[in-house]
Amino acid sequence: MKTKLLSLITITLCISLLLSVAPGPIATDAAPPAPPSTQIRANIVSMLQRQAPIKVLSDIPGGARTATNKDAAYFAWQEFIALSWANVPVTGQAVAAGPGAREFADASKQFGQPAAGSSAAYPALVWESTRHRSEIFTTGANAPPHGFVSSAAKSWGYNSTPGYVYADTITPSTTPSNCKTIQASLTPFVNLDEGSQIGLCKMYTGNPYSNSSPGNSVLFMAKGSYNEYGYIASRGWYNTTPLITPPSPGTPQNPVASFGNTSGYILAQGQLPAPGMIDGSKSTGNYVSFPNGTLEFKAAFRVATDAERTAYENGQPVPGGYHVAPIRYYVQTGQNKYQYIDTCGVLLSLHIIHKTPTAPYFIFATFEHKDDVIGSNGKPVEDADGNLYPNAYTTTAPAPVPSPYVYPSAGTAPAGQYLVDATTPRVVEAPSQASNGSVSVQQFIPSPSGAGITKSGSQSSYLNTRDGVTSTLPSANYSPESSSYITVNRRRYTIPANPIVAANQDVHSLIAQYGYNAKNNVWLNYKLVNVQWIPSGNSQQKTPGKLYGDTSSGAKPVIPVESFYLSNSLVETNMVLSAFSGQFGPATSTADGLSITDFYYTPTTYTNNNIDVGGQPQTVTKASGNPFYNIYVTGGPYNMGGCMGCHGNAAVSGGDSSFILRGSKPFVIEGVEPSPKLMLDRFKSYFSK
């Protein structure tokens, strides 16, 4: 009996001890956490009901690296809704986020309800109210950004009314604006100083478009959020010199933040530097690395038609369902001289890129208006959710694939039908190859059957830049410039039905249910094209010189091909951009560089003077013919494609995925119909080594 009692006491004590150290109650039937997409969708609903803060989420719940394409799609939509909300009227007097400030949603309005302006500024969406590139980085102008104040307590002047600082001479138009909402005393938040796709080609939209100048020209701009502006302004980095030619290269005892040292760190360490602090007066940091939460935007607009402008002026629904805003664009009047013109424009496309704690390489999402891609019959190729209409298909079997071959496009066709060619004339390519250290860059050319083509009057089209008869560019294959336009029949890579089209349909239903004016809510006409949330293309996922998704050599892609080659039909239209991977070719005095390769084309040494290795600066050298990688994070390095891969070139060059900060020369205003020289100058400012 005594033995049994002792045993019972011992068992009881053991159970008590286990219970005392257990972290909490043992739940064998607890429900697992909701998937990230479900959590984000709930936040979207709460925002639309104005029960949750109208601001972007800091990250994908659970982290970007474990998220699915569906999770990333809802994250992109959450960003779009928070950022496309009406901003509070900007007064120019606010010192911090709140009434009168930029980048502060007006919670008194529903999503889709027009923004209100002030006596000092036009109405704007949240993303429109952020700072234009020339309000952040004024390289070459020998002046601080407009409104800059040397005070962290005043947000470094971020909340001033808009003003654009250039090294060029800028004068106002001498002709009154044709838009009644334009006021001579105000400056538009939408400042369209780019006339090309980063210098590679000029873009023209399909119908409808204005009959007056500049007609169907697509114009572009780049913007950045307060996190980016405060990071740069607080360090005095708004001019080029401190980052390109610092007073000294730096030492381990006295580290210097520069593009060169940042690039050397990334290549040597195989990772991106830790995110920096917004307030550089507290800690400048040793490398160029934006704070988490940094946002950048790339937008495409065209000038509004008479019908669109009139509807906007009278507060009526705009034909076609476009978002309309006051815009400024530029016309060159002489060498480094421009005249600006203020009028009304319509939004065609929008990129959102976002640096998060689990995505230091930035998450890239892109949206388009439902009618951006027009087929040969003059009708849209996709609906508002991204489903393909019948004019995206043909019953005629395509001609045999030539060699070099037509770049493939994702998507399947119904039985007995085929996807039409993405472009006319048919665009073919020769992939880049490396042999004994010698690299032939990829070259993209229209087939000879395309000779004589002219700019379409109904479809969008592009005109590739050329630099003389020796150029590797498409337009150099024909002598008259007018014969080298390439018409867009559909996007290069279709929008996947699952999960992107499904997410578009679902979010559109939420906007119609909870947003402003369900029948005519303008944002029902814009769709997510796709999103890049994790990098791919390491040594197991992409063979250098071959397509991503080509599994013949054992490659195992981890993201869909449509995500890898993410592009927007009006922002990255030509072959080089819509099929981008690796890096651009050599931009020298004898080569234009407007081509791409997966390899190093010249020996390249990266140096980080901030770290000592045996008494010498830390260096890494890449030989000609070595594979080129543009994303350095865990699991990589990666040779990423699309938007992330292109911006990754800015990262490995030391600019943290930003072309706003990375330019090595004064920014080139291109204006309407820029010359090839202007376009090449701008391109080389980004990519010349």
Side-chain angles (χ1 to χ4, degrees):
M1 177 65 71
K2 184 176 181 180
T3 302
K4 290 182 178 180
L5 181 60
L6 288 173
S7 298
L8 183 59
I9 293 171
T10 301
I11 292 171
T12 302
L13 288 171
C14 289
I15 293 174
S16 299
L17 181 61
L18 285 171
L19 290 175
S20 69
V21 299
I26 299 174
T28 57
D29 58 351
S37 59
T38 302
Q39 297 179 51
I40 300 169
R41 186 183 188 276
N43 176 266
I44 290 173
V45 172
S46 293
M47 277 202 309
L48 291 172
Q49 294 176 326
R50 292 176 288 176
Q51 295 176 353
I54 304 166
K55 58 191 299 186
V56 297
L57 295 173
S58 61
D59 210 339
I60 299 176
R65 305 303 291 276
T66 58
T68 65
N69 199 178
K70 181 178 180 180
D71 300 331
Y74 278 89
F75 182 75
W77 263 115
Q78 196 277 343
E79 293 177 317
F80 184 86
I81 291 171
L83 293 163
S84 297
W85 209 285
N87 201 80
V88 297
V90 175
T91 64
Q93 304 302 314
V95 297
R102 297 188 187 215
E103 207 176 335
F104 193 80
D106 189 343
S108 71
K109 295 183 178 295
Q110 292 178 277
F111 180 63
Q113 190 169 0
S118 72
S119 61
Y122 288 112
L125 305 176
V126 172
W127 73 263
E128 287 175 338
S129 77
T130 61
R131 285 209 161 216
H132 183 267
R133 63 179 305 140
S134 65
E135 296 181 282
I136 298 174
F137 192 54
T138 61
T139 176
N142 194 29
H146 175 77
F148 172 79
V149 177
S150 185
S151 169
K154 296 182 179 180
S155 305
W156 310 100
Y158 179 77
N159 293 303
S160 70
T161 54
Y164 309 116
V165 178
Y166 298 103
D168 305 289
T169 301
I170 313 294
T171 57
S173 172
T174 56
T175 304
S177 176
N178 63 348
C179 186
K180 294 178 182 178
T181 58
I182 295 299
Q183 301 178 47
S185 60
L186 303 183
T187 301
F189 284 101
V190 177
N191 184 46
L192 302 167
D193 57 354
E194 303 175 34
S196 75
Q197 297 179 357
I198 64 170
L200 273 76
C201 66
K202 291 183 284 192
M203 188 70 206
Y204 306 90
T205 186
N207 274 328
Y209 56 84
S210 174
N211 292 324
S212 58
S213 180
N216 61 341
S217 291
V218 180
L219 303 170
F220 309 91
M221 69 172 180
K223 280 178 165 277
S225 66
Y226 172 67
N227 279 21
E228 178 166 328
Y229 172 81
Y231 178 78
I232 293 172
S234 64
R235 290 161 172 77
W237 288 355
Y238 43 78
N239 284 157
T240 305
T241 305
L243 296 174
I244 293 183
T245 55
S248 69
T251 65
Q253 296 74 33
N254 183 30
V256 170
S258 67
F259 291 142
N261 286 335
T262 304
S263 183
Y265 175 91
I266 293 169
L267 270 289
Q269 301 293 325
Q271 62 182 351
L272 298 170
M277 297 178 63
I278 294 178
D279 188 353
S281 63
K282 295 180 179 178
S283 175
T284 57
N286 298 339
Y287 304 101
V288 179
S289 183
F290 290 121
N292 288 330
T294 293
L295 291 155
E296 285 191 354
F297 309 94
K298 180 82 172 186
F301 280 75
R302 64 163 168 78
V303 170
T305 65
D306 291 342
E308 292 162 347
R309 187 182 67 251
T310 300
Y312 174 70
E313 291 168 346
N314 295 320
Q316 300 298 317
V318 175
Y322 290 94
H323 166 67
V324 180
I327 65 169
R328 173 169 292 182
Y329 68 91
Y330 298 82
V331 176
Q332 189 172 19
T333 58
Q335 184 71 26
N336 302 121
K337 294 181 179 180
Y338 295 85
Q339 185 179 87
Y340 70 75
I341 298 171
D342 292 350
T343 184
C344 296
V346 301
L347 175 66
L348 301 173
S349 303
L350 177 67
H351 281 328
I352 303 171
I353 78 171
H354 185 184
K355 185 172 185 176
T356 77
T358 63
Y361 41 80
F362 288 75
I363 294 172
F364 292 76
T366 188
F367 293 80
E368 289 196 41
H369 186 269
K370 63 183 179 65
D371 297 340
D372 276 1
V373 186
I374 304 296
S376 58
N377 62 354
K379 297 180 180 180
V381 172
E382 302 166 347
D383 67 15
D385 296 322
N387 292 296
L388 289 174
Y389 284 130
N391 59 347
Y393 307 107
T394 177
T395 56
T396 303
V401 175
S403 180
Y405 52 87
V406 174
Y407 210 99
S409 182
T412 57
Q417 298 191 60
Y418 308 89
L419 286 166
V420 300
D421 284 337
T423 56
T424 304
R426 207 174 200 197
V427 179
V428 299
E429 69 140 358
S432 62
Q433 301 293 336
S435 176
N436 300 322
S438 176
V439 177
S440 62
V441 296
Q442 289 180 319
Q443 298 184 23
F444 303 103
I445 58 175
S447 62
S449 63
I453 189 170
T454 57
K455 184 169 60 173
S456 172
S458 59
Q459 295 177 262
S460 61
S461 58
Y462 60 90
L463 178 65
N464 280 302
T465 310
R466 60 177 178 177
D467 184 20
V469 296
T470 61
S471 173
T472 61
L473 298 180
S475 20
N477 291 281
Y478 311 116
S479 51
E481 186 177 34
S482 61
S483 67
S484 55
Y485 291 95
I486 299 173
T487 302
V488 178
N489 297 319
R490 61 177 178 82
R491 70 180 69 254
R492 186 78 55 197
Y493 289 94
T494 54
I495 300 176
N498 186 20
I500 305 301
V501 171
N504 288 342
Q505 184 176 4
D506 181 35
V507 175
H508 283 154
S509 71
L510 298 179
I511 294 171
Q513 183 176 358
Y514 300 112
Y516 174 76
N517 193 350
K519 184 178 180 181
N520 289 304
N521 191 301
V522 68
W523 303 119
L524 296 175
N525 302 303
Y526 291 82
K527 59 199 171 196
L528 174 67
V529 174
N530 216 317
V531 57
Q532 292 177 314
W533 73 104
I534 54 172
S536 188
N538 62 19
S539 59
Q540 290 79 47
Q541 297 160 356
K542 184 183 189 303
T543 302
K546 293 191 175 183
L547 307 178
Y548 179 82
D550 180 352
T551 59
S552 60
S553 57
K556 298 178 179 179
V558 296
I559 62 173
V561 67
E562 301 94 339
S563 293
F564 184 86
Y565 291 114
L566 178 67
S567 64
N568 187 296
S569 73
L570 292 184
V571 183
E572 298 92 9
T573 315
N574 78 351
M575 183 64 77
V576 176
L577 290 171
S578 63
F580 183 87
S581 71
Q583 67 170 330
F584 289 96
T588 66
S589 59
T590 58
D592 50 51
L594 303 181
S595 51
I596 56 176
T597 176
D598 287 344
F599 304 94
Y600 282 90
Y601 47 78
T602 186
T604 305
T605 297
Y606 300 87
T607 302
N608 177 14
N609 293 282
N610 296 344
I611 295 180
D612 184 280
V613 179
Q616 297 295 323
Q618 185 181 42
T619 62
V620 174
T621 299
K622 300 292 184 179
S624 177
N626 284 169
F628 181 86
Y629 296 102
N630 47 42
I631 301 291
Y632 284 80
V633 292
T634 302
Y638 298 94
N639 174 8
M640 188 60 183
C643 303
M644 187 186 294
C646 182
H647 281 256
N649 278 257
V652 297
S653 295
D656 196 15
S657 297
S658 173
F659 291 112
I660 290 179
L661 185 65
R662 184 60 191 92
S664 61
K665 299 177 181 178
F667 178 75
V668 178
I669 294 180
E670 292 179 322
V672 176
E673 294 291 349
S675 68
K677 182 182 184 305
L678 270 177
M679 294 163 70
L680 287 166
D681 283 348
R682 180 175 168 219
F683 174 83
K684 291 179 180 181
S685 76
Y686 296 143
F687 299 107
S688 294
K689 298 297 189 292

